[in-house]
Amino acid sequence: MATSFTSETYNASSVEALRTKVRDFIRNTVIDAEPRPGCTLSSETLNKLREKAKKKGIFAPHVSTEFGGLGLPLRYWSDIFQEAGYSPIGPIALNIMAPDEGNMHMMGIIATPEQQEEYLAPLAAGEIQSCFGMTEPHPGTGSDPRQLTSSAEYKNGKWVLNGHKRFISGANLAGFCIAMMRTEQHGNSPAGATMFLVDMDNPGVRVGEQIHTVDTTIGGGHPHVYFDDAIVSDTAVLGEVGKGFEYAQVRLGPARLTHCMRWLGLARRSLDIALDRAETREIFGDKMYLKGLVQELIAQCEIDIETSAAMIEKTAVSLEEDSKTGQNLSSIAKVYVSEAVSRVIDRCIQICGGDGVSDGLPLAQYQNEVRPFRIYDGSTETHKFAISRRASSRRRKEVAAGAKYMGTAIVRD
């Protein structure tokens, strides 16, 4: 099993130098290439941006140096990802966009050397794209992974995959899918879920109906994907049979957090747009930024951005150290940041008035891009359910271990 991407060469100074390079690239190269609101980025423009990013030495910063990345440890990702997220197409240009980023991270940890060479290397180089096949139509898995219905059966030395997936982000352009399938007991492996690396040109794989959503930055859409007797060999098993749900946490914890990082960058861009408007526009005899109501909106944006950044940083360190609190913190960060980013952009739209809801400014597009984040990678309500259960479980254990219980009110005469 491969080790995770770490490097002892990074420190505050070297990370700051990288952040500055990314910031310069995004603001002086990428922004000029942004398509107008409502339009999509052409593959020709994307390829040119990626080549420029490679020449500047900022491409795939999260990937191991073995596969052409920069080997940047998770605790340092936030500043870099936020700078990239300042443009909606910045993460794509740097190859740190979902779902590829999360798939790269997971494969770097659990894939075999052969799988890494076949799938991770070209993905890290930006030569192919990928998707992650877990979500299914009701009553299959969605917020509750235990409802997984797609299955893989071992027959005559091969795995036969069957199932219907939906909302598979990136599937239209993907070269391969990491498919989560329910499996029965196999050898010494228990029944459970197993991940498979499946080429999208496998005869048993079919991309079906398109799901049209308000967001557009994830290339390859969110279509249905069908597995109809898709046959793969033992070498297609990612990790170990029966451990799919365990591996999903390896992917989803950091993947939730990188969504937070990227969208927080877009919140910073939105606030800059609003600040520029408030600085130059006069209303009722004063510049807008001097008006108390506008100052309140600006201050609340600053508070949301900085608290989000602090939460992300703490969670990244916790996840890198593989502490048990890491997954819970990633849920907390995902809930808070997804809501905070939406609040920031909404306030900025309000400051910019009519232009804010027009295509003269990109703010309405930004709101469309971030709105699904409160649903993707687990809805806000699902995460709150998990957060609450963990809190109750933690306190029960504390009480059982003899901790003083301070929850009951003391009644005095």
Side-chain angles (χ1 to χ4, degrees), residues 247-259:
Y247 297 141
Q249 296 310 308
V250 173
R251 181 186 187 277
L252 291 175
R256 296 185 194 113
L257 201 62
T258 53
H259 270 311

Side-chain angles (χ1 to χ4, degrees), residues 249-294:
Q249 296 310 308
V250 173
R251 181 186 187 277
L252 291 175
R256 296 185 194 113
L257 201 62
T258 53
H259 270 311
C260 295
M261 298 171 188
R262 291 184 292 259
W263 293 135
L264 189 57
L266 202 63
R268 292 184 185 276
R269 171 85 171 274
S270 300
L271 182 55
D272 283 348
I273 292 171
L275 287 170
D276 290 345
R277 170 59 65 96
E279 184 75 26
T280 58
R281 185 161 183 174
E282 293 187 5
I283 185 170
F284 301 118
D286 269 324
K287 295 289 182 64
M288 284 182 66
Y289 78 92
L290 295 173
K291 297 297 184 181
L293 291 174
V294 176

Side-chain angles (χ1 to χ4, degrees), residues 63-81:
V63 175
S64 166
T65 55
E66 179 184 359
F67 296 102
L70 304 182
L72 187 68
L74 176 58
R75 66 180 62 207
Y76 297 131
W77 288 7
S78 185
D79 284 347
I80 309 306
F81 280 49

Side-chain angles (χ1 to χ4, degrees), residues 35 44 57 119 259 307 323 399 405:
E44 180 182 3
Y119 294 101
H259 270 311
T307 51
S323 69
V399 172
Y405 183 65

Side-chain angles (χ1 to χ4, degrees), residues 93-154:
L94 267 62
N95 202 17
I96 57 171
M97 189 60 180
D100 293 339
E101 169 267 315
N103 290 343
M104 284 184 259
H105 177 74
M106 182 173 65
M107 286 191 291
I109 297 173
I110 67 173
T112 65
E114 292 76 18
Q115 289 172 333
Q116 291 176 341
E117 186 64 29
E118 183 175 358
Y119 294 101
L120 176 56
L123 186 62
E127 297 170 359
I128 59 173
Q129 293 178 226
S130 65
C131 60
F132 186 73
M134 183 168 178
T135 304
E136 300 171 342
H138 184 77
T141 185
S143 297
D144 185 354
R146 294 170 299 181
Q147 294 178 261
L148 183 69
T149 60
S150 300
S151 64
E153 186 178 1
Y154 198 67

